[in-house]
Amino acid sequence: MTLRHAPWEEAGEFRIGLAPIAASAWFEGGETDPSARKDPLFEGAAAPLVWAETGGSRPAQAEVLALVAEAIGRPIETQGRPPLYAAARCVADDLCLMEKRDGHWRLSALSLSAGSFFTAAEVIGRSLSELHRPVTGFEDRLLARVTRIFDGLRDGLVLERRNWSVVSTPELHMPDPGPMRAAIPAIDPARAAQVLHVRCERQTLRRLPTTGGVVFTIRVWVNPLSDVAADLSRLARFAQAWRTAHPDFRAYKRLELYDALVAPLIDGA
Ligand code: HEM
């Protein structure tokens, strides 16, 4: 599989990193039928992990639906589904709706089929500050700037950022990293390049002109480390990122759990 994004080449620390992209590039595609992956989660026992909405969010949800339908170039029937979910099942991305309530940008609805270590039930209703409590320094260094970006988003502008981590599974739906982490000591070092994966989230922000909300999209791309190692200059840049990542960033992503497996792969790179 080709590597679509390599954000470790840009940053090994927490940063905003938002850049404008063309509205036509809002969704990257790459998945034939996202509903086949998302519907079983939404309709089954995992429902509270992958879907949540608050009262009063339906008008903004419907606005997201209309924007997504325009972006994919075909109408979307809700067939009784909440509008945000009806939109989310047509794209590979997860869709998070932010609305300003009591002076704070809050998550008013979300479809989170590929959540990275959090669940819809946990985060629904949270403000930007509350969402980012576990991220060291977010409140002091980033919150005011991120809030200003949300407040000042212009209609039609789409902003993109990427983040990255290393995990030991290609699974997209990862509400709880506990079982994955517990299994790390049993990984055969000879298979590390196939078992370890770079997990990259490509996120976008876009204002909803009518309701004044903001839609935050999250597309998760997962590649085995062997895809990085296949290109020596790319591997060298990954090795550099691994060795120089900020201590807070390493601790948050639990990169130390993988050090013994990654070290032989990047040795000499
Ligand atoms: C666009 C502005 C935003 C910026 C700059 C930002 C930044 C960050 C950063 C730096 C992290 C740490 C992981 C990483 O990305 O490397 C993070 C984690 C997270 N962000 Fe954001 N974020 C933004 C918007 C949002 C929005 C709109 C949501 C709502 C769903 C959100 C929910 C989260 C959650 C749930 C985490 C994981 C926190 C945990 O570990 O429990 N972020 N964010």
Side-chain angles (χ1 to χ4, degrees), residues 40-56:
L41 295 170
F42 179 79
E43 289 161 8
L49 309 179
V50 300
W51 169 255
E53 64 179 320
T54 58

Side-chain angles (χ1 to χ4, degrees), residues 30-111:
E31 184 174 27
T32 313
D33 182 10
S35 67
R37 172 173 57 88
K38 296 185 178 190
D39 283 353
L41 295 170
F42 179 79
E43 289 161 8
L49 309 179
V50 300
W51 169 255
E53 64 179 320
T54 58
S57 65
R58 289 284 174 112
Q61 290 190 39
E63 200 178 355
V64 177
L65 176 78
L67 276 181
V68 171
E70 187 190 314
I72 65 174
R74 62 180 163 86
I76 301 171
E77 300 293 333
T78 58
Q79 294 173 318
R81 298 180 177 98
L84 188 71
Y85 182 68
R89 66 193 289 284
C90 295
V91 291
D93 307 54
D94 282 341
L95 301 180
C96 303
L97 176 60
M98 302 292 291
E99 291 184 89
K100 208 156 191 182
R101 303 249 170 98
D102 326 318
H104 296 279
W105 285 101
R106 291 188 180 276
L107 250 181
S108 63
L110 75 162
S111 167

Side-chain angles (χ1 to χ4, degrees), residues 186-209:
I187 296 172
D188 174 0
R191 299 203 57 245
Q194 286 74 45
V195 178
L196 301 191
H197 289 71
V198 281
R199 183 174 174 109
C200 169
E201 289 184 15
R202 181 259 192 187
Q203 307 168 341
T204 73
L205 275 186
R206 181 170 186 166
R207 188 178 130 85
L208 306 172

Side-chain angles (χ1 to χ4, degrees), residues 14-16 18 96 98 107 117-118 123 128 131-132 134-135 138 142 146 150 161 163-164 203 205 216 218 249 252-253:
F14 298 132
R15 56 175 220 156
I16 294 182
L18 283 164
C96 303
M98 302 292 291
L107 250 181
F117 316 153
F118 66 100
V123 297
L128 279 173
L131 284 163
H132 293 97
V135 184
F138 188 92
L142 305 180
V146 172
F150 271 71
R161 70 184 293 270
N163 72 16
W164 67 278
Q203 307 168 341
L205 275 186
F216 179 68
I218 309 170
F249 182 93
Y252 175 83
K253 313 253 169 174

